Amino acid sequence: MSALERARELQPDLVRLRRSLHREPELGLRLPRTQEKVLAALDGLPLEITLGRELTSVTAVLRGGRPGGAVLLRGDMDALPVDELTGVEYASEMPGRMHGCGHDLHTAGLVGAATLLADRQESLRGDVVFMFQPGEEGHNGAGAMIDEGVLGAAGKPLDAAYALHVSANRLPGGWIASRPGTVMTASDVLRVTVRGEGGHGSAPHHAKDPVPAVCEMVTALQNWVTRAFDIFDPVVVTVGRLHAGTQQNVIPDTAEFEATVRSYSEANHERLAAGLPRLVRGIAAAHGLDVEVEYEMLYPVTVNEPAATAFALDTARELFGPGEVWEAPQPASGSEDFSLVLNKVPGAMLLVGAAPAGVDVEKAPQNHSPRAVFDDRVLHRQAALLSELAEQRLAAGASA
């Protein structure tokens, strides 16, 4: 029986797990109910399990029956602070929380891979580390798990690391896509608070108005990145939050904004961290205002190791056929803390199309939308691909 055929037999169980996770989404680094469900799903498998100390992670190690190396498989588990508007019958029962990025599918798919590989334990030529990770959505969960030793869980160096990420749009359901080199952007946050002196809106000359300075900063950010960076190595700065004042005729003491900052190369990642704070400080000084600037470098560029990527795409072609596997011509604009793993271990992240059947993938709601819907039908495909990546990579390492 092929890996895909074996995985199809698990599909009903994976759907039940995924929908249970979807109904009770949890945020950040503390996911107690999610952890309980993962442990229950893994119960009875021949795994060495370690729980996180500072976060509700699960690290499970499967010892192969034959000597060899080690491979890590990652699945993230946290949800988003979003009110779900999908209308599906298994929609979130927790107000203000939703699995809008598909991490419930990642978790269920990784459980499926652990089940498939456990069935093959005796013939497995090495060990597999299953990394069930909280806190991917801006909480540095991967970094926390690395600090707690996930990369050394097998007691030997890792030969490779792989992760999948589902996509609610742009990619046909079940298709696999990836590319060598940069596959996702770096992600940073710029937080700015400008401090002036409040007063009456009719007499700005008796106050120090922070609002025009903040408006100038927002415009200057966009102008600077178009003038200072190569268009073939782009950066993106988007101000997503801007706040000042309480009433139309009151000049406030402060004005503030927050921006997300994305870059496709580590060189630009470093330039932005130095240049953006310098820019806003200069504008504040020109207005005679004080400014507080916080620049947080969240996640580095996600870089797929070329050989590991070629191996992963070839494995997917053998499993699903060449017509459903695509080498992407350009990186995705999102970011991932799996980048922290790939900075230390050769490996790759692959995208899995999870748009529902019959929808126009170019118009379907995207990840993070309150209307994003992910198709359960890809669960067994995720499980099969992850298990094949681990088994085949261990076999290749043992025969090298």
Side-chain angles (χ1 to χ4, degrees):
M1 186 181 296
S2 71
L4 199 54
E5 290 169 333
R6 291 186 287 121
R8 286 195 186 99
E9 295 181 346
L10 299 178
Q11 177 71 2
D13 291 336
L14 299 181
V15 171
R16 280 190 290 271
L17 174 59
R18 183 259 164 152
R19 294 190 175 191
S20 175
L21 293 168
H22 195 92
R23 289 188 182 100
E24 293 187 88
E26 295 178 293
L27 307 178
L29 298 171
R30 308 298 301 178
L31 318 176
R33 287 289 295 130
T34 302
Q35 186 186 60
E36 288 175 10
K37 292 175 183 181
V38 168
L39 292 173
L42 298 177
D43 187 43
L45 299 181
L47 301 169
E48 300 171 8
I49 292 179
T50 304
L51 304 184
R53 298 185 298 275
E54 300 298 324
L55 69 170
T56 54
S57 60
V58 178
T59 300
V61 180
L62 177 66
R63 302 290 182 186
R66 303 170 68 181
V71 171
L72 180 143
L73 304 175
R74 195 286 300 259
D76 42 359
M77 305 189 293
D78 57 321
L80 290 162
V82 171
D83 282 307
E84 181 163 357
L85 299 176
T86 62
V88 297
E89 59 91 10
Y90 53 89
S92 170
E93 298 171 357
M94 313 295 289
R97 301 179 182 182
M98 176 192 176
H99 268 296
C101 202
H103 295 184
D104 49 339
L105 284 85
H106 301 169
T107 303
L110 189 57
V111 166
T115 305
L116 293 173
L117 288 166
D119 290 343
R120 306 275 295 176
Q121 182 181 19
E122 291 307 312
S123 62
L124 203 61
R125 303 178 74 173
D127 305 332
V128 183
V129 178
F130 302 94
M131 178 181 176
F132 291 90
Q133 179 208 312
E136 190 278 331
E137 295 291 352
H139 300 275
N140 193 33
M145 289 192 72
I146 290 171
D147 289 344
E148 292 194 356
V150 68
L151 302 185
K156 65 182 76 169
L158 292 168
D159 299 314
Y162 294 100
L164 306 180
H165 203 303
V166 293
S167 177
N169 69 341
R170 302 298 297 275
L171 196 62
W175 280 42
I176 308 297
S178 194
R179 69 189 306 275
T182 297
V183 68
M184 300 184 83
T185 67
S187 177
D188 301 333
V189 179
L190 174 67
R191 300 183 180 93
V192 177
T193 301
V194 178
R195 300 193 182 280
E197 294 179 8
H200 200 289
S202 67
H205 56 292
H206 291 309
K208 291 185 178 180
D209 192 349
V211 174
V214 163
C215 293
E216 186 175 329
M217 289 174 185
V218 171
T219 302
L221 296 178
Q222 304 304 323
N223 288 337
W224 183 64
V225 298
T226 63
R227 301 295 93 187
F229 293 88
D230 188 339
I231 61 171
F232 296 105
D233 187 6
V235 299
V236 176
V237 179
T238 297
V239 175
R241 190 180 77 85
L242 190 154
H243 176 76
T246 58
Q247 187 167 301
Q248 46 82 24
N249 64 347
V250 177
I251 294 173
D253 275 343
T254 63
E256 60 188 36
F257 68 89
E258 294 184 357
T260 185
V261 183
R262 309 290 171 135
S263 50
Y264 290 82
S265 69
E266 199 54 39
N268 282 352
H269 194 203
E270 298 291 340
R271 286 186 64 200
L272 287 162
L276 292 176
R278 182 175 62 243
L279 178 66
V280 297
R281 288 190 181 106
I283 293 172
H287 285 261
L289 301 170
D290 295 327
V291 64
E292 296 175 7
V293 183
E294 179 186 353
Y295 194 92
E296 182 180 2
M297 299 179 81
L298 290 178
Y299 302 151
V301 179
T302 305
V303 180
N304 282 349
E305 198 271 329
T309 308
F311 169 82
L313 292 174
D314 285 344
T315 301
R317 291 184 186 102
E318 292 175 6
L319 194 61
F320 304 124
E324 298 183 6
V325 180
W326 181 48
E327 183 167 328
Q330 61 192 32
S333 57
S335 302
E336 251 289 346
D337 68 354
F338 190 62
S339 57
L340 300 170
V341 175
L342 295 180
N343 275 357
K344 297 179 180 294
V345 182
M349 167 161 276
L350 295 87
L351 298 178
V352 180
V359 305
D360 183 341
V361 296
E362 295 298 329
K363 297 179 180 179
Q366 64 183 327
N367 291 28
H368 288 220
S369 166
R371 297 174 179 82
V373 177
F374 302 88
D375 199 328
D376 285 333
R377 293 182 305 164
V378 304
L379 288 168
H380 73 280
R381 295 170 71 89
Q382 291 175 259
L385 179 54
L386 286 170
S387 66
E388 281 292 283
L389 287 172
E391 186 171 2
Q392 298 304 325
R393 180 61 184 83
L394 290 173
S399 61

